[in-house]
Amino acid sequence: MDSKPWFFWYVLQLMVHLAFVLVQLSGKIGKHFQVCEFSYLQIQDSYLLDFVFLVVAKTVGRKLLKMKNKRFEILQQNRKSKEIDAPLLYQQFQSLHQNFFQFHKSSMDSYSPFDCLIFDLDDTLYSSSIGFGDATKRNIDDFLVEKCGFDERKASTLRVQLFKTYGSTLAGLRALGYDVDADEYHSIVHGRLPYHLIKPDPQLRNLLLTITQRKIIFTNSDRAHAMKALNLLGIADCFQQIICFETMNPNLFNFKSASPEEFPVVLKPSLEAFNIAIDVAGVDPSRTLFLDDNVGNIAAAKVVGLQTVVVGKTMKTNEADYALEKIHNLTHIVPEIWF
Ligand SMILES: [Mg+2]
């Protein structure tokens, strides 16, 4: 029975608090009311402020949730059309942000589970089936014959063996003690590629421009090749950073006279290469999306904690969080990027 008066007192207090908050929120507070507010807050400050915070948080939360759902709706609508109109999508998102909130769109990026996207280059952002794959193999064979003196008939077999064992021909040659200069190797293997076959990709460019998070290239290729390919695709300015052969192997350039055994070549999929990339990019792996066509690279990326997309595949591998047949389908497969 003793609890009854306490209960009524509690309900009364709650009603007074509620009325007070409603008056506050309705914006009808006059100067004279602020005097009462001060004395009232002195007594009830913690409870009242908690309540105000709760109401504000709920209101803002509902608004944010509504916007998130709206973004998803827009994505779904765009999915129905055969090709995503990226600039239109971007425009729709922009106006959505402006309608809901009057501040910059970057403040909305926190809804996406990704702060950064790391892209492989070859066979991820363009297909080497344009003639690059065969040309690269031919160029490596030429290097083995011209610069290392191997028999022309054995070059192809050796190339395959070195790739399987060491991850790349250059890595294999240096591991076997051949003092191969990386610049000379790349000048033949990449320098002789038929670059005229890479055409601009405006669809990919527009897609990349809708992604507001940081975008980074992470490739085993040398910088010259990466820049050439990105420029020809018309997407070089879409990326904030390029992590490439030179980034992973600074010692090969700083200590050119050192023996090959002293500085083995570091490349994907070694964990060392991934740790260098994470360090150089300064990213949180758990909030970074890594896209690559090589399943070995995807597996290594998972080990270091990255979120992964295997590109060029219809089925997910064990270590891939998503599978993407073509990079252009990114909005269909990973819409969370735009949340
Ligand atoms: Mg690749």
Side-chain angles (χ1 to χ4, degrees):
M1 287 303 283
D2 287 349
S3 65
K4 236 180 177 181
W6 178 88
F7 176 76
F8 284 117
W9 173 239
Y10 180 81
V11 171
L12 183 69
Q13 263 200 329
L14 196 65
M15 286 172 72
V16 171
H17 294 157
L18 187 62
F20 194 86
V21 169
L22 285 174
V23 171
Q24 273 192 314
L25 290 178
S26 68
K28 286 179 182 171
I29 291 178
K31 262 189 174 183
H32 64 283
F33 203 83
Q34 281 176 18
V35 179
C36 307
E37 182 190 35
F38 178 70
S39 55
Y40 186 85
L41 284 176
Q42 271 186 325
I43 307 163
Q44 301 289 344
D45 61 339
S46 64
Y47 182 79
L48 181 67
L49 286 177
D50 281 354
F51 198 62
V52 170
F53 284 137
L54 185 74
V55 171
V56 171
K58 275 199 166 182
T59 312
V60 173
R62 263 199 302 275
K63 269 197 165 188
L64 292 177
L65 189 68
K66 206 170 165 187
M67 197 189 69
K68 190 179 162 182
N69 291 339
K70 189 77 186 159
R71 283 179 77 119
F72 191 69
E73 238 174 68
I74 290 176
L75 271 171
Q76 295 286 50
Q77 281 166 9
N78 275 272
R79 275 182 191 190
K80 283 176 192 162
S81 55
K82 208 174 178 188
E83 280 189 2
I84 289 205
D85 185 345
L88 178 70
L89 186 70
Y90 186 64
Q91 214 180 349
Q92 285 172 321
F93 279 174
Q94 281 282 62
S95 67
L96 182 68
H97 293 151
Q98 279 159 10
N99 286 345
F100 273 91
F101 298 94
Q102 292 300 312
F103 49 79
H104 194 268
K105 66 182 171 55
S106 65
S107 56
M108 291 295 100
D109 291 344
S110 58
Y111 280 88
S112 167
F114 313 116
D115 294 333
C116 178
L117 281 80
I118 299 183
F119 297 82
D120 170 49
L121 174 61
D122 305 308
D123 273 318
T124 295
L125 295 180
Y126 72 97
S127 169
S128 63
S129 64
I130 54 170
F132 264 43
D134 291 338
T136 306
K137 287 173 190 166
R138 247 189 340 265
N139 293 346
I140 294 174
D141 292 353
D142 288 348
F143 182 87
L144 291 171
V145 175
E146 286 173 31
K147 300 293 173 185
C148 304
F150 287 106
D151 190 322
E152 207 175 328
R153 288 162 299 178
K154 292 180 181 169
S156 296
T157 317
L158 178 65
R159 167 175 48 79
V160 174
Q161 279 174 350
L162 291 176
F163 182 78
K164 279 185 181 165
T165 315
Y166 299 98
S168 87
T169 310
L170 176 59
L173 286 171
R174 285 189 67 89
L176 293 174
Y178 287 87
D179 195 3
V180 178
D181 183 78
D183 282 338
E184 190 180 26
Y185 176 85
H186 287 129
S187 71
I188 292 177
V189 173
H190 289 150
R192 294 180 183 176
L193 285 172
Y195 281 103
H196 64 279
L197 296 174
I198 299 184
K199 304 291 179 205
D201 189 342
Q203 197 193 345
L204 176 59
R205 180 182 170 75
N206 287 333
L207 173 72
L208 291 169
L209 287 176
T210 64
I211 301 171
T212 54
Q213 291 93 329
R214 272 176 77 204
K215 295 174 286 295
I216 295 171
I217 294 287
F218 180 25
T219 174
N220 278 347
S221 300
D222 61 311
R223 185 168 293 273
H225 168 74
M227 282 313 298
K228 241 186 232 177
L230 291 170
N231 277 319
L232 287 166
L233 287 164
I235 55 172
D237 60 332
C238 298
F239 297 92
Q240 285 76 50
Q241 201 173 1
I242 295 176
I243 297 167
C244 57
F245 182 88
E246 287 89 337
T247 324
M248 292 177 274
N249 299 280
N251 292 329
L252 295 191
F253 302 94
N254 296 338
F255 306 97
K256 281 214 171 199
S257 55
S259 66
E261 296 87 358
E262 212 174 330
F263 297 119
V265 173
V266 177
L267 292 173
K268 290 184 285 183
S270 79
L271 294 185
E272 192 183 349
F274 276 92
N275 286 325
I276 289 172
I278 289 167
D279 198 38
V280 168
V283 294
D284 171 358
S286 67
R287 291 191 53 82
T288 302
L289 192 65
F290 173 71
L291 305 94
D292 199 302
D293 63 289
N294 184 301
V295 290
N297 293 346
I298 292 294
K302 205 69 215 152
V303 173
V304 296
L306 290 158
Q307 305 215 48
T308 53
V309 183
V310 61
V311 182
K313 306 269 186 295
T314 46
M315 297 286 284
K316 281 199 291 179
T317 56
N318 282 347
E319 296 82 3
D321 299 306
Y322 308 89
L324 193 64
E325 208 173 349
K326 266 182 84 182
I327 192 72
H328 303 86
N329 300 338
L330 195 58
T331 43
H332 295 244
I333 307 296
V334 200
E336 302 94 292
I337 293 169
W338 289 269
F339 281 1

